[in-house]
Amino acid sequence: MVRRRYWPEQFLYYDGEGIARHLEKMAARGWRLEKIGALSWRYGRAEPAKVHCAVTYFPEASEYNPYPTDSQEEFYDYCREAGWELVTEWDQMQIFSTERVHPVPIETDEAARVRVIHRAMLRRFLPANLLLFALLVIQLGIFITGVLQNPAANLSKPSVLLITLALALMGLSVFLTLTGYLAWYVRARKAAETGKRLAGTEQRFRTLTVAVAALGVLSVVFAALSTAGSRGGPWYALLVTVEAAAFVALVAGVKAYMRRRGVERKQNRIITLAVAAGLSLLMINVIPGAVIGPRAAELHIVDRTVLPLALEDLGIPEEEGLVSTWESRSSPLVAFRAGEQSGPYDSGLPWLRYEVSDVKLPMLFDLCLDGYLDRYDNEYGRLTGGHFRPLNDPAWDAEVWQVWDDEGPWPYYLACKDGRIVWLMTDDFLTPEQTKTASEKLFGGTI
């Protein structure tokens, strides 16, 4: 028979009523809570019994304290005298249980109880979640800014969409947690003013918050899987998952070890944060390269016939030393393809590069087009002096721009028609016949 059970409970920290009712149901099934860990709650097998549980909060407590404070010890003695036994602690939360049929309530002043919970939340819960929410918003902003530097190419990557969704969902989960607590506090304080305890638990709101967070975690997992091909296949996704679990377990283990050794709270916190920072750098920058190996170069060398447009199609003889590459990817928003024929740097061989983007969502078309236009109007233009000018060339049969600088035009063209954007660069200017061929090849049909 299984004597212990580990379960990843996801209770809202302030929902003491919900935690107490849950533990009472578990005791009736023959499972008693033994310890709350970083990744799971540990239950031990026991005889099924009718148990009363109570959850209290102690603002002076800390997960870094090596031992209970004097006031905590006095409180525990008081609870033992009233028939309550300490089950375990969770930072500033203490969980008690008793098998007495009619136990004496640990807390009788509801207004004082709500104030204590709020003090505990102000000390630990709210600052940590506000900081996490701010970091997620900042990270989301930085990530989106990077995506918008080349929208067509980035929005065609499923991993980019999934990471954006993950950051947004995790931010929403934290926001729901914060607003949920504030709503609970307002209702609990109003009930306390009448001498009553807020009835019910936060189960429905907890379910919503956990569901949103779970979707965020799934987005991260699928993002890792979608990019795993170039980093060792599914082994990379497995490595990332193992690293995340190991990080949480190791940091919690270091903190618990120092508590057992009697390390003071301030030193424990500093050492734990230093270990967390060191582990994060090690797991991000060292371990993946050592286990999986360096990231493979993403050169998709293909036969020339794979390319929808090649130098030979433009009447330019293909010389020895030319290499053809082709890249194709698609997301629900954008389909992106890139082709190239070129030789070694400074080889003097003719070359051709182009990108073809089909924007599936019309509302994103201008965003993707502006991303190309900004390459020279803003980004590259400051370095090269180049800028776009509209080009009136019937051979393109599309809206076209060409890059210019102070000395004249470049053989760089941007064209768009019917939701498709084509960015084409060559080593020499296109003749009308070559332009017509390029337009027919890159705008005609499905590439």
Side-chain angles (χ1 to χ4, degrees), residues 159-427:
S159 61
V160 168
L161 302 184
L162 288 167
I163 292 173
T164 304
L165 178 62
L167 290 171
L169 287 172
M170 290 179 177
L172 177 60
S173 176
V174 177
F175 177 77
L176 288 173
T177 301
L178 290 167
T179 55
Y181 170 70
L182 294 177
W184 175 89
Y185 176 61
V186 171
R187 291 187 289 114
R189 189 172 62 176
K190 181 179 289 188
E193 290 174 354
T194 63
K196 299 179 181 179
R197 176 169 292 197
L198 188 64
T201 66
E202 299 298 294
Q203 182 174 354
R204 291 183 179 179
F205 192 81
R206 173 170 64 92
T207 301
L208 173 63
T209 305
V210 171
V212 172
L215 289 174
V217 172
L218 285 175
S219 299
V220 172
V221 172
F222 283 116
L225 290 173
S226 69
T227 58
S230 60
R231 296 298 302 270
W235 294 111
Y236 179 68
L238 177 61
L239 175 64
V240 171
T241 304
V242 171
E243 280 189 333
F247 175 83
V248 175
L250 287 172
V251 171
V254 168
K255 179 172 58 181
Y257 173 76
M258 287 189 290
R259 288 189 70 184
R260 291 194 301 270
R261 294 296 299 269
V263 178
E264 292 298 327
R265 179 172 65 182
K266 185 176 181 180
Q267 293 177 324
N268 190 339
R269 181 186 291 111
I270 292 174
I271 294 173
T272 300
L273 292 176
V275 169
L279 283 174
S280 62
L281 292 174
L282 183 68
M283 292 179 172
I284 293 174
N285 299 311
V286 178
I287 294 179
V291 176
I292 302 297
R295 186 181 182 94
E298 296 184 1
L299 288 177
H300 309 280
I301 299 177
V302 297
D303 185 81
R304 164 256 175 278
T305 57
V306 174
L307 298 178
L309 176 67
L311 290 168
E312 187 178 359
D313 298 320
L314 301 177
I316 301 173
E318 296 190 19
E319 302 182 33
E320 185 177 351
L322 284 175
V323 175
S324 300
T325 63
W326 177 250
E327 180 183 1
S328 178
R329 59 177 181 266
S330 181
S331 77
L333 302 181
V334 178
F336 177 87
R337 285 85 71 204
E340 178 177 341
Q341 279 189 299
S342 61
Y345 182 70
D346 284 342
S347 64
L349 295 173
W351 57 269
L352 169 70
R353 300 187 184 98
Y354 51 87
E355 297 174 3
V356 180
S357 302
D358 285 323
V359 184
K360 302 177 184 180
L361 200 61
M363 63 182 297
L364 295 177
F365 183 82
D366 288 341
L367 175 68
C368 294
L369 180 60
D370 289 341
Y372 280 103
L373 291 171
D374 285 344
R375 287 188 178 184
Y376 284 96
D377 287 351
N378 293 313
E379 184 182 357
Y380 298 159
R382 289 190 293 267
L383 300 175
T384 65
H387 59 277
F388 277 107
R389 289 187 186 181
L391 177 64
N392 184 15
D393 187 348
W396 273 104
D397 189 28
E399 188 174 6
V400 188
W401 295 263
Q402 186 174 14
V403 176
W404 287 62
D405 64 8
D406 294 338
E407 297 181 2
W410 300 2
Y412 293 5
Y413 307 90
L414 178 66
C416 64
K417 182 173 68 173
D418 300 331
R420 177 170 291 184
I421 302 171
V422 171
W423 168 239
L424 182 142
M425 298 175 289
T426 68
D427 66 324

